[in-house]
Amino acid sequence: MFCSAKFIVFSIIVLSSHQCSWFGTSYGYKPWLRLLWVLLVGFSPASRAQQGTQPQSIKIEGDITLGGLFPVHSRGPAGVPCGEIKREKGIHRLEAMLYALDQINSDPELLPNITLGARILDTCSRDTYALEQSLTFVQALIQKDNSDVRCSNGEPPIIPKPERVVGVIGASGSSVSIMVANVLRLFAIPQISYASTAPELSDNSRYEFFSRVVPPDSYQAQAMVDIVKNMGWNYVSTLASEGNYGESGVDAFLQISREAGGLCIAQSIKIPREPRPGEFDKIIKRLMETSNARGVIIFANEDDIKRVLQAAKKANLTGHFLFVGSDSWGSKNSAIEDQEEVAEGAVTILPKRASIDGFDQYFTSRSLENNRRNIWFAEFWEDDFKCKLTRPGIKYDPGRRKCTGEERISRDSQYEQEGKVQFVIDAVYAMAHALHSMHLDLCAGSMGVCEKMDPVDGRMLLQYIRSVNFNGSAGTGVMFNENGDAPGRYDIFQYQMSNVSNPGYKNIGQWTNHLRLNVNEMQWSGGDRKIPESVCSFPCESGERKKMVKGVPCCWHCELCDGYQYLLDEFTCDMCPFDMRPLENRTGCRPTPIIKLEWSSPWAIIPVFLAILGILATTGVIVTFIRFNDTPIVRASGRELSYVLLTGIFLIYLITFFMIAEPSVAICAFRRLFLGLGMCISYAAMLTKTNRIYRIFEQGKKSVTPPKFISPTSQLIITFILISVQLLAVFIWFGVMPPHTIIDYEEQKPPNPEFARGILKCDMSDLSLILCLSYSIVLMITCTVYAIKSRGVPETFNEAKPIGFTMYTTCIIWLAFVPIFFGTAQSTEKMFIQTTTLTVSMSLSATVSLGMLYVPKVYVIIFHPEQNVQKRKRSFKAVVQAATVTTHLSLKSNDKQNGESKVEPDRSQ
């Protein structure tokens, strides 16, 4: 037997609309009718009887009638279509449609002189039951032949003429909308859903008359993938209610996560449509098989969500699972009632909405007296106020208080506007705007519904629906694309209990084609603000590569990339080039830092400070000597050699700046030249002085003839000859190995690359530096020997003793220098310590020379000029004789000095 779909529907509609009991066995209905009903609807007519006296629909009279489908009741247990009343998801949404109709009918600008009516049905959250109910919408579209239909008494049935429904608002669940859309499509009745989000409904070839004011789950799934990845999770499980909404939502999530990469699914579990006892306990046990996957993506209806939370609490797993819920969870309190601790931290998503103040005022003013049009309102009243109404046929429960009728919503009960109220209102207004545009085009100038709109052509109305574009109840634009989908705009919530004054859902972000999540506003079980982890393997530490576990793309072991290796990719280690070191996170290589002594470093400040003081003091001495060049003290000190010696001291101080300056070819050349030159000049001059004194007094012991080469010119020549040896050696060094800079990466390359440094320096090793100073050290030692030999000469006659003290002190300084310089060879601060030690030692030796030899003279010249006068000249012979006598006297008496007659030898001879 082959029949068209319209014929099958027609047969059922005709039989179901008869006002006689044709299902009872006494009336002898034919068995094939029961079979036809079961095949199409999915449950037997006996289920209608099981429903009892529950009201069927709300009828609002009007010029144009809209259909409405709402889950006023939850799904009943096996064999029973309907369960408990749903206050928010059912009654709130139903009242939102009634509120929208009132607003439209009172609006003189929208559908003027046309009243919208409604036929509103209860789907009981069950797709098969909703299909049976929705057959009411198509009755008026079928031409019925009742000639062969008779009741048991032979009388023709009384069949009321059904109203014509031009469009349907609903349904809520995607599986319900899909079932209803298949029927409405046959009769070209447009349908606008306020809550169905299954991606399947975007197929315009199968559901061409379906539109929705909420975005499809393909957008929602993308938003949820973005949320999961933003929280750093890569290993999650999915839970889906059996049916189009849950299964298609999870499918979209899986597909998008595969395309995005970096996200693995531990388990994908389906909740049966009719779960058996203990089913949810088994689901929790399955989820715990992959306990690291704490994140659970849930596309489920409200009843299944509640049972999952109950099972988790029963298993003592409060706080373990981290739920990410779809819009079916949204911001509903009913879904988590009595399970708040388990739901704490759950992140949920809901199409962007706003609370409609006008609806709040409308709904809180509803009472049993002024809302008789809602046939389920009395049942809602009992459930909301936890009381019992006295109704005919209902036995009074003495254990429950009696309703007074004086209770008020929000005052005597908790009230919060349900999340989809805005979309219900927008769906009704979208239908009204489409009818309004259609009326303007077809009935221009006509009052009320004209002939061209009687009846309303469903296919034409669909085109007007798809063309609407207006600001909805929340101020956001309402429009549809070519598939009847609304734009993707979502608010992201988190259920929070700890550290908040009002536990509940908190807005933590939004998604409009990309995610904006305020992580700082998130908190988890116990008030913890750190995002919990949901990973198969924890991230590898810095410098570790992943060694993947075969067959499990999100699980791995971590192996260390040590030394100077870096992560070429997350699975491979490779060595950095010789002049580079790995980044701290080992994702690549970075240039090894180049170090040099900075001017601002404490290692440089002290030497520079000493050098500046020394340069100023030396300059002061030179200026003083030039100013008083012809005075006795200056002349007696040996002007020519003094200027040479002061020049050497000046260069010793000056070398500090070359040693600290950034190495370059010029600086390196200056270092080679001046490092030993200043000391060479100083000690060559002092050596010449001490040698002259020694020779004079040694010669005086033997004869009265002065020794050779004691004139100033001879002294200068001797000094410059000594200096020329140093200069010759330096210039030979220049020729053999021209000065240049190098960067030494090996000197400071410890096992830990964080401490690796490249040292920018001149091409002077420690050995070459010592060799550069060796000639000066030889001069210094020789000078010290002569100073020791001349120690017996009275200080009143010469500079031997000041020079001696100078050399003794200098030797001590340089003896301290050697262990410090070479003892820091392995130190990480080697370059700084050695440079500072060298420059300070040189500055100190120069300071000793300056202080011992010239500061006393400058003091007398400036502060005691009366002593800076010409003394009586004496011959060389007289000087020697006086010195000899003085020496003998000083040997006889160690306590008494005979130096009253201070006779200076004539050094100009």
Side-chain angles (χ1 to χ4, degrees):
M1 176 180 179
F2 298 90
C3 303
S4 68
K6 287 189 178 182
F7 175 77
I8 295 174
V9 175
F10 161 72
S11 302
I12 296 173
I13 292 172
V14 170
L15 294 172
S16 64
S17 61
H18 295 168
Q19 289 186 347
C20 56
S21 180
W22 56 275
F23 279 117
T25 55
S26 60
Y27 295 105
Y29 66 90
K30 295 182 180 181
W32 63 269
L33 290 176
R34 176 184 290 271
L35 178 61
L36 180 63
W37 186 278
V38 173
L39 289 174
L40 183 64
V41 180
F43 60 91
S44 67
S47 64
R48 172 177 277 185
Q50 290 172 339
Q51 188 181 346
T53 58
Q54 195 172 48
Q56 298 298 311
S57 66
I58 295 175
K59 177 69 173 71
I60 306 294
E61 297 293 338
D63 301 321
I64 297 176
T65 302
L66 303 180
L69 293 171
F70 296 92
V72 179
H73 293 85
S74 62
R75 185 170 55 197
V80 179
C82 302
E84 299 177 349
I85 195 162
K86 301 178 81 166
R87 290 178 297 178
E88 296 174 342
K89 205 171 181 180
I91 297 299
H92 281 207
R93 295 180 182 181
L94 185 152
E95 288 290 344
M97 181 172 179
L98 297 178
Y99 166 77
L101 291 174
D102 292 346
Q103 295 294 308
I104 293 167
N105 290 333
S106 63
D107 189 345
E109 302 296 328
L110 186 60
L111 290 175
N113 301 310
I114 297 177
T115 302
L116 289 182
R119 169 73 72 176
I120 301 176
L121 305 174
D122 181 9
T123 66
C124 289
S125 306
R126 190 187 296 270
D127 50 6
T128 51
Y129 182 79
L131 177 60
E132 177 191 356
Q133 295 296 298
S134 65
L135 297 177
T136 305
F137 298 147
V138 300
Q139 291 183 32
L141 301 177
I142 301 175
Q143 299 294 329
K144 303 181 182 68
D145 183 5
N146 301 328
S147 58
D148 295 336
V149 181
R150 290 289 184 272
C151 290
S152 57
N153 58 5
E155 295 294 326
I158 301 173
I159 303 175
K161 182 180 179 180
E163 72 277 12
R164 186 182 183 91
V165 173
V166 301
V168 175
I169 305 300
S172 177
S174 294
S175 57
V176 174
S177 288
I178 288 173
M179 190 74 82
V180 172
N182 282 319
V183 174
L184 298 182
R185 174 176 175 268
L186 299 175
F187 298 93
I189 299 179
Q191 174 187 2
I192 303 179
S193 173
Y194 49 82
S196 298
T197 57
E200 182 181 348
L201 288 164
S202 296
D203 188 349
N204 203 39
S205 62
R206 294 176 58 194
Y207 307 103
E208 58 182 314
F209 284 87
F210 177 84
S211 304
R212 49 187 163 191
V213 291
V214 289
D217 283 340
S218 54
Y219 296 153
Q220 182 174 204
Q222 179 65 65
M224 295 173 80
V225 168
D226 291 346
I227 292 170
V228 168
K229 299 194 77 172
N230 184 271
M231 292 191 293
W233 298 351
N234 65 4
Y235 197 53
V236 297
S237 296
T238 63
L239 267 180
S241 292
E242 184 179 3
N244 294 92
Y245 172 77
E247 294 180 51
S248 60
V250 165
D251 287 344
F253 181 87
L254 296 178
Q255 180 179 350
I256 294 171
S257 64
R258 280 194 297 268
E259 293 172 355
L263 185 59
C264 296
I265 307 302
Q267 296 193 67
S268 191
I269 302 174
K270 185 189 300 182
I271 302 172
R273 195 185 303 270
E274 299 290 345
R276 292 171 294 183
E279 186 72 38
F280 289 92
D281 295 332
K282 294 179 182 178
I283 289 173
I284 295 299
K285 288 181 180 178
R286 283 190 61 188
L287 290 174
M288 286 304 295
E289 290 174 2
T290 51
S291 57
N292 275 7
R294 297 178 62 189
V296 178
I297 312 304
I298 183 165
F299 280 84
N301 59 53
E302 185 177 329
D303 299 328
D304 287 345
I305 293 170
K306 196 167 187 177
R307 294 177 190 178
V308 168
L309 297 178
Q310 288 173 345
K313 185 176 183 179
K314 181 180 177 182
N316 197 27
L317 291 171
T318 299
H320 176 79
F321 293 112
L322 312 168
F323 295 101
V324 178
S326 63
D327 63 341
S328 60
W329 185 334
S331 59
K332 300 186 188 72
N333 289 316
S334 56
I336 60 171
E337 191 173 1
D338 301 325
Q339 313 299 329
E340 289 84 357
E341 291 182 356
V342 186
E344 185 177 12
V347 177
T348 61
I349 191 170
L350 193 65
K352 197 169 185 62
R353 65 180 180 89
S355 182
I356 310 304
D357 294 336
F359 176 79
D360 288 339
Q361 297 172 6
Y362 162 82
F363 190 74
T364 54
S365 67
R366 299 298 90 190
S367 66
L368 294 172
E369 290 76 20
N370 64 15
N371 198 23
R372 297 184 181 276
R373 63 182 178 179
N374 185 346
I375 59 177
W376 296 290
F377 196 71
E379 189 179 353
F380 162 81
W381 195 270
E382 291 179 326
D383 187 73
D384 195 42
F385 295 107
K386 303 296 186 289
C387 62
K388 196 68 178 178
L389 290 169
T390 303
R391 287 183 287 170
I394 302 298
K395 186 178 179 180
Y396 177 68
D397 183 4
R400 203 171 187 185
R401 73 177 184 86
K402 186 177 181 180
C403 299
T404 63
E406 298 299 322
E407 298 90 353
R408 288 295 176 264
I409 299 172
S410 182
R411 187 192 69 184
D412 302 314
S413 65
Q414 187 176 1
Y415 166 75
E416 183 179 358
Q417 189 179 126
E418 199 275 332
K420 293 292 196 304
V421 163
Q422 168 198 336
F423 300 107
V424 174
I425 296 172
D426 288 345
V428 177
Y429 265 88
M431 194 72 76
H433 277 280
L435 288 168
H436 182 77
S437 299
M438 189 177 189
H439 183 267
L440 291 177
D441 291 343
L442 301 182
C443 306
S446 299
M447 303 293 287
V449 179
C450 65
E451 292 183 1
K452 291 182 180 181
M453 288 185 64
D454 191 16
V456 173
D457 182 84
R459 193 167 295 277
M460 183 181 295
L461 177 59
L462 177 65
Q463 300 306 315
Y464 282 100
I465 290 174
R466 295 288 171 84
S467 300
V468 299
N469 190 341
F470 64 96
N471 286 331
S473 53
T476 55
V478 177
M479 63 192 76
F480 305 97
N481 63 14
E482 64 277 6
N483 296 321
D485 295 329
R489 294 188 290 260
Y490 295 96
D491 281 322
I492 302 168
F493 298 90
Q494 186 182 45
Y495 187 77
Q496 299 180 355
M497 289 182 61
S498 305
N499 304 324
V500 291
S501 55
N502 296 314
Y505 294 95
K506 182 174 182 178
N507 191 312
I508 58 170
Q510 55 186 339
W511 189 93
T512 50
N513 296 323
H514 66 277
L515 178 67
R516 290 192 294 274
L517 189 65
N518 190 350
V519 178
N520 295 330
E521 294 293 328
M522 301 178 76
Q523 67 177 28
W524 307 86
S525 180
D528 188 7
R529 293 196 174 273
K530 181 182 178 181
I531 298 177
E533 295 176 318
S534 181
V535 294
C536 177
S537 299
F538 290 102
C540 292
E541 297 292 333
S542 177
E544 294 181 343
R545 73 179 184 91
K546 292 180 181 178
K547 184 177 180 181
M548 302 305 298
V549 176
K550 188 176 181 180
V552 187
C554 286
C555 301
W556 58 81
H557 301 299
C558 295
E559 291 186 351
L560 179 66
C561 287
D562 57 357
Y564 288 81
Q565 292 181 328
Y566 73 101
L567 288 171
L568 181 62
D569 53 50
E570 60 181 329
F571 310 105
T572 310
C573 297
D574 198 7
M575 288 294 295
C576 287
F578 79 97
D579 59 343
M580 304 186 80
R581 61 177 181 165
L583 296 169
E584 290 185 9
N585 58 8
R586 302 275 177 159
T587 57
C589 293
R590 52 181 169 168
T592 301
I594 308 301
I595 60 171
K596 59 183 185 340
L597 191 55
E598 302 290 344
W599 294 104
S600 58
S601 169
W603 296 105
I605 291 175
I606 294 174
V608 168
F609 178 72
L610 292 177
I612 291 173
L613 290 181
I615 288 173
L616 293 175
T618 305
T619 304
V621 171
I622 293 173
V623 170
T624 302
F625 268 48
I626 293 173
R627 170 70 179 79
F628 299 95
N629 188 55
D630 292 325
T631 60
I633 288 181
V634 175
R635 293 179 63 191
S637 66
R639 290 174 296 183
E640 294 78 5
L641 280 182
S642 290
Y643 288 132
V644 172
L645 199 153
L646 287 170
T647 301
I649 292 174
F650 184 89
L651 291 178
I652 291 175
Y653 287 123
L654 187 64
I655 191 61
T656 297
F657 298 95
F658 293 122
M659 296 300 294
I660 294 174
E662 181 176 349
S664 64
V665 174
I667 292 296
C668 291
F670 284 131
R671 284 188 187 181
R672 286 192 189 183
L673 180 63
F674 293 118
L675 182 60
L677 184 61
M679 292 179 62
C680 178
I681 293 173
S682 297
Y683 297 135
M686 279 193 282
L687 176 59
T688 303
K689 273 193 173 190
T690 54
N691 175 265
R692 176 177 179 269
I693 295 172
Y694 174 77
R695 287 189 299 115
I696 287 175
F697 288 97
E698 284 297 315
Q699 180 70 20
K701 293 177 182 179
K702 300 175 183 179
S703 70
V704 294
T705 305
K708 297 180 181 180
F709 309 118
I710 62 172
S711 67
T713 303
S714 301
Q715 298 295 295
L716 288 176
I717 292 173
I718 294 171
T719 301
F720 287 129
I721 289 173
L722 294 175
I723 294 171
S724 65
V725 176
Q726 174 78 21
L727 290 174
L728 179 62
V730 170
F731 287 117
I732 292 174
W733 189 8
F734 281 162
V736 174
M737 186 181 296
H740 60 277
T741 60
I742 59 172
I743 299 176
D744 189 346
Y745 292 100
E746 296 300 326
E747 183 173 319
Q748 291 194 26
K749 196 171 186 178
N752 187 347
E754 288 303 308
F755 299 111
R757 297 292 185 270
I759 303 176
L760 177 63
K761 58 184 183 179
C762 293
D763 59 328
M764 293 177 66
S765 64
D766 293 348
L767 180 59
S768 62
L769 186 144
I770 295 300
L771 290 175
C772 186
L773 295 173
S774 60
Y775 180 65
S776 299
I777 294 174
V778 170
L779 294 177
M780 178 182 70
I781 294 173
T782 305
C783 184
T784 304
V785 171
Y786 275 110
I788 293 173
K789 289 183 176 183
S790 303
R791 67 184 183 279
V793 178
E795 61 180 355
T796 53
F797 293 95
N798 57 74
E799 294 178 308
K801 286 193 175 181
I803 292 176
F805 285 124
T806 299
M807 300 318 299
Y808 305 153
T809 308
T810 302
C811 287
I812 293 172
I813 292 172
W814 286 100
L815 286 173
F817 161 79
V818 172
I820 296 174
F821 186 86
F822 290 100
T824 58
Q826 302 303 320
S827 172
T828 55
E829 304 286 341
K830 171 187 173 182
M831 186 189 71
F832 302 150
I833 296 175
Q834 289 186 343
T835 302
T836 301
T837 302
L838 178 62
T839 53
V840 169
S841 297
M842 296 182 72
S843 293
L844 288 178
S845 61
T847 302
V848 168
S849 300
L850 188 68
M852 291 283 189
L853 300 178
Y854 294 105
V855 169
K857 292 179 173 60
V858 172
Y859 176 78
V860 171
I861 291 171
I862 295 176
F863 297 103
H864 295 283
E866 70 280 1
Q867 297 180 16
N868 189 14
V869 294
Q870 180 70 41
K871 301 297 182 180
R872 176 171 57 88
K873 276 191 174 185
R874 300 176 69 184
S875 66
F876 176 78
K877 180 179 178 181
V879 171
V880 173
Q881 288 176 347
T884 303
V885 172
T886 304
T887 302
H888 290 312
L889 290 175
S890 60
L891 289 174
K892 292 180 181 179
S893 177
N894 292 327
D895 299 328
K896 184 177 180 180
Q897 281 190 342
N898 296 318
E900 288 79 4
S901 59
K902 298 179 181 178
V903 180
E904 296 289 339
D906 187 3
R907 299 179 186 271
S908 61
Q909 291 179 356

